[in-house]
Amino acid sequence: MTALAEKLSDLSVHVGDIEARIAAFRGTQERFRDQKVSALKSGVQARIEDLDTRIHNAGDDISSVWTGINQSLKIKAEQIQALIESKRQATDAQRAEHRTQHLERNALLAIEFAALAIEEAEVAVSEAVDARLHANAIAAKHQPDVAFQLNAPSRKQHQV
């Protein structure tokens, strides 16, 4: 299995596990839910920083595009989080309902964005696979020439 196929497989497992984790979260006692959400946010932040580092270390044209996308996503996430936090301390039913609606819209948009990102990942992997197959086909066309050169008698052998 190629590294790209393994990454896609990992993504599939991760997405499949989310539904079960959310179902389990619903059953979590209220006092532990904030801790769980904080742990999730910390995990996401760590993955963002890791991705930033890998993108920066790659330093090519493709990576620079992803740096811009990643920075834009971080800014948007911070803006959304600020809006959510400003409404977090809702004490009356109307404010609590309004906050809940905001969070549900945020969740829906995050899911839709994730679906688009997964589709973009599929396109990127397909393009990479196509490029690999093309490169292999070109190499195979030139391989007989290399094999001929390797099997051809050298000038020293002709002189004997």
Side-chain angles (χ1 to χ4, degrees):
M1 184 178 285
T2 68
L4 292 175
E6 287 177 23
K7 287 287 189 182
L8 280 176
S9 178
D10 292 348
L11 178 61
S12 177
V13 170
H14 182 74
V15 169
D17 289 347
I18 290 173
E19 188 174 2
R21 290 193 308 267
I22 293 298
F25 182 81
R26 283 191 176 103
T28 303
Q29 293 179 1
E30 183 177 359
R31 64 181 183 198
F32 296 119
R33 289 195 303 257
D34 280 343
Q35 293 171 355
K36 179 65 175 168
V37 169
S38 292
L40 287 168
K41 287 179 182 179
S42 294
V44 167
Q45 187 59 40
R47 283 188 293 284
I48 288 171
E49 290 170 8
D50 177 59
L51 181 60
D52 277 346
T53 300
R54 288 185 287 130
I55 288 170
H56 179 74
N57 290 342
D60 57 21
D61 292 343
I62 296 290
S63 298
S64 66
V65 172
W66 283 105
T67 298
I69 292 169
N70 201 27
Q71 292 300 322
S72 176
L73 288 175
K74 284 196 294 191
I75 290 168
K76 298 286 186 214
E78 289 168 2
Q79 291 171 341
I80 291 167
Q81 196 57 44
L83 286 171
I84 291 168
E85 289 301 321
S86 70
K87 297 173 181 170
R88 184 171 179 76
Q89 301 305 323
T91 55
D92 62 70
Q94 185 179 11
R95 287 189 67 190
E97 179 60 28
H98 188 68
R99 177 178 180 266
T100 299
Q101 289 173 359
H102 266 93
L103 291 172
E104 288 171 345
R105 276 194 304 277
N106 181 55
L108 178 62
L109 292 171
I111 290 168
E112 290 175 2
F113 183 83
L116 288 172
I118 289 169
E119 289 173 10
E120 180 61 30
E122 181 181 3
V123 169
V125 170
S126 296
E127 290 174 335
V129 167
D130 180 55
R132 172 58 54 210
L133 293 171
H134 180 72
N136 290 348
I138 290 171
K141 285 181 183 178
H142 295 293
Q143 192 172 13
D145 296 338
V146 172
F148 175 76
Q149 290 172 359
L150 292 174
N151 293 330
S154 69
R155 290 184 183 183
K156 288 182 182 178
Q157 288 175 335
H158 283 294
Q159 293 174 352
V160 174

